[in-house]
């Protein structure tokens, strides 16, 4: 074995300059002399071949040109955790010796002189003060001497170990087991091996609340196995791990409040049903997961699902959702308050961004934040009113009616607009304009419609504003009048824009004529 080459080099993570890779082969390469390392690089552009040389396959790579051979002296196998901490925070041994002072200690009858003892004590005090430690990109590969971390950095609570040379989850456990009050741990961008059986147990993460495992190549099965050691975990970040299949997390992850699965190409949206019973999950991030639909089959139109009972914030942006039916389904979530859904095909069905926003707001009753923008009460009210206007005629033609006893819209209409009946029969009923019972164009520039319930204090000016939204005709060009069943043969002009409709004694069923 070459000098300086670790005995466990095979499978270890290495760095060569700014490039990272995994050792897949250690040995000779004919006809050359000496030891070579066969490395599969994280960036395939760094490689030259698939692990073969002159017809001999020494190792395999996922990419046809992802591998190459390097000499051991070109590979950096990394340092232990404490060495990286001291280097990062300017507390390494060389600095200590240079600024140290002389000290003597008596052991029995012998006097021993120490150099730099004051500095060592000061270094110890400084390390013990550290609560948040980041050794990102510091080539950490192993824990170091047993119990050395716990003696030196007793107060650590938050550790960033991302983008290092950690090869296995056992190394992470070896470090974490020496940090008694560890609450936050980031080991993202370390491609490592995880335990494959449930025999692995450790109390290293008994206080851990936040864990980031982005770009570690962990599978969901491995997540569930490791999760047995995360009894109080609240936030779990698993972005970019090629997770395609989920499994039901029985007896694990029950304290989880946030789960990030972004940039994992799930096989289909139904995979989400397998994690739908996590009791405390409040935030689910599914950005760019390839899902094309969302469906909660346990609940019908206008009902709430039992799935995701605590989910308040959902991100489904950058996906393949093309149908509005998936947005309708989101209204079934009992606790949903915030949604991110931009960059999906369904948004292209509406050219006006403001109309698109209004439709989403109207379809999801409890939504308070949409695409990171707060929904104000007035905005919700306007969105729901416009939604009623736009689809009012369709509702009536499908069997809808203002009288609850006669209201029997078709299944097809309910599937497309499950919230519509509730909006029409309850909300804003006593104070806003009704949708027309029928439209009739008797001649050019004439439209007739009926109001179907009392209109309260709505002014003529407000009616003209709503008509402008429908016909794009300026209010100054509109002339309104009405015919009442109580005044047969008489037409009353609505000539004062500031007067409310009730001033003219307009009642439900009266016919309003609009001319221009």
């Amino acid at each position: 074995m070459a000098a300086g080459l670790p005995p466990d080099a095979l499978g270890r993570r290495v760095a060569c300059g700014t490039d990272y890779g995994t050792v897949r082969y250690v040995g000779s390469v004919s006809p050359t002399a000496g030891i070579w390392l066969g490395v599969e690089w994280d960036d395939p552009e760094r490689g030259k071949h698939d692990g073969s040389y002159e017809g001999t396959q020494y190792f395999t790579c996922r990419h046809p040109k992802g591998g190459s051979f390097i000499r051991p002296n070109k590979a950096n196998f990394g340092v232990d955790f404490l060495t990286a901490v001291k280097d990062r925070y300017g507390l390494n041994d060389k600095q200590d010796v240079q600024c140290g002072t002389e000290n003597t200690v008596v052991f029995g009858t012998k006097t021993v002189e120490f150099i730099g003892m004051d500095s060592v004590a000061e270094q110890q005090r400084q390390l013990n003060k550290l609560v948040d430690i980041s050794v990102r990109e510091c080539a950490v590969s192993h824990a170091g001497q047993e119990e050395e971390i716990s003696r030196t950095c007793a107060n650590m609570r938050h550790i960033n170990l991302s983008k290092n040379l950690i090869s296995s989850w056992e190394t992470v456990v070896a470090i974490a087991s020496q940090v008694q009050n560890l609450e936050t741990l980031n080991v993202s961008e370390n491609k490592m091996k995880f335990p494959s059986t449930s025999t692995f147990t450790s109390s290293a993460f008994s206080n851990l609340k936040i864990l980031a495992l982005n770009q570690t190549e962990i599978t969901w099965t491995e997540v569930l196995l490791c999760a047995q050691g995360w009894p109080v975990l609240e936030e779990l970040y698993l972005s970019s791990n090629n997770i395609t299949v989920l499994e039901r997390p029985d007896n694990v992850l029950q304290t989880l409040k946030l789960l990030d699965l972004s940039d994992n190409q799930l096989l289909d949206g139904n995979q989400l049903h397998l994690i739908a019973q996590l009791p405390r999950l409040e935030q689910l991030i599914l950005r760019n997961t390839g899902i094309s639909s969302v469906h909660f089959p346990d609940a019908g139109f206008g009902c709430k699902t039992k799935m995701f009972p605590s989910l308040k914030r959902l991100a489904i942006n950058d996906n393949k959702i093309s149908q509005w039916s998936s947005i309708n389904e989101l209204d079934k979530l009992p606790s949903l308050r915030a949604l991110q859904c931009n960059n999906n095909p369904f948004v292209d069905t509406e050219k006006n961004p403001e109309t698109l926003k209004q439709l989403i707001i109207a379809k999801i009753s409890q939504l308070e934040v949409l695409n990171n923008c707060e929904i104000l009460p007035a905005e919700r009210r306007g969105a729901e009113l416009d939604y009623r206007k736009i689809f009012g005629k369709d509702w009536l033609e499908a069997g809808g009616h203002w009288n609850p006893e006669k209201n029997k819209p078709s299944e097809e209409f309910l599937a497309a607009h499950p919230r519509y009946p509730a909006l029409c029969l309850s909300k804003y009923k006593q104070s806003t304009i009704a949708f027309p019972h029928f439209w009739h164009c008797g001649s050019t520039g004439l439209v007739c419609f009926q109001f179907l319930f009392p209109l309260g204090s709505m002014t003529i000016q407000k009616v003209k504003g709503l008509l402008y939204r429908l016909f794009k005709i300026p209010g100054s060009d509109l002339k309104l009048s009405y015919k009442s069943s109580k005044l047969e043969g008489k037409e009353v002009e609505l000539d004062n824009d500031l007067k409310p409709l009730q001033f003219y004694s307009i009642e439900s069923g009266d016919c309003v004529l609009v001319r221009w």
Side-chain angles (χ1 to χ4, degrees), residues 366-427:
Q366 301 174 97
L367 207 60
E368 297 174 356
V369 179
L370 176 60
N371 294 328
N372 296 320
C373 295
E374 182 183 2
I375 301 169
L376 300 175
E379 186 177 18
R380 169 163 291 285
R381 187 174 186 273
E384 292 179 341
L385 287 174
D386 284 350
Y387 183 66
R388 286 170 51 174
K389 291 201 307 290
I390 293 171
F391 299 103
K393 183 181 178 182
D394 295 341
W395 175 61
L396 294 167
E397 290 179 349
H401 200 280
W402 300 108
N403 185 337
E405 295 179 359
K406 298 179 181 180
N407 181 41
K408 297 180 180 180
S410 66
E411 290 290 315
E412 183 180 0
F413 182 86
L414 288 175
H417 309 283
R419 277 206 74 212
Y420 198 92
L423 283 174
C424 289
L425 296 175
S426 57
K427 216 171 188 184

Side-chain angles (χ1 to χ4, degrees), residues 460 480 493-497 504:
I460 302 300
L480 275 62
E493 186 176 356
L494 307 178
D495 54 359
N496 191 331
D497 286 359
Y504 294 97

Side-chain angles (χ1 to χ4, degrees), residues 460-461 464 478-482 492-501 503-504 506:
I460 302 300
Q461 187 177 45
K464 287 183 176 181
L478 297 174
K479 293 183 179 181
L480 275 62
S481 60
Y482 86 98
V492 180
E493 186 176 356
L494 307 178
D495 54 359
N496 191 331
D497 286 359
L498 300 180
K499 294 293 184 181
L501 288 170
F503 174 81
Y504 294 97
I506 297 177

Side-chain angles (χ1 to χ4, degrees), residues 62 217-219 238-245 263-265:
R62 282 172 288 190
E217 299 191 343
I218 192 171
T219 67
L238 297 170
S239 175
S240 304
N241 279 306
N242 296 318
I243 294 173
T244 58
V245 178
D263 297 305
N264 291 287
Q265 295 303 299

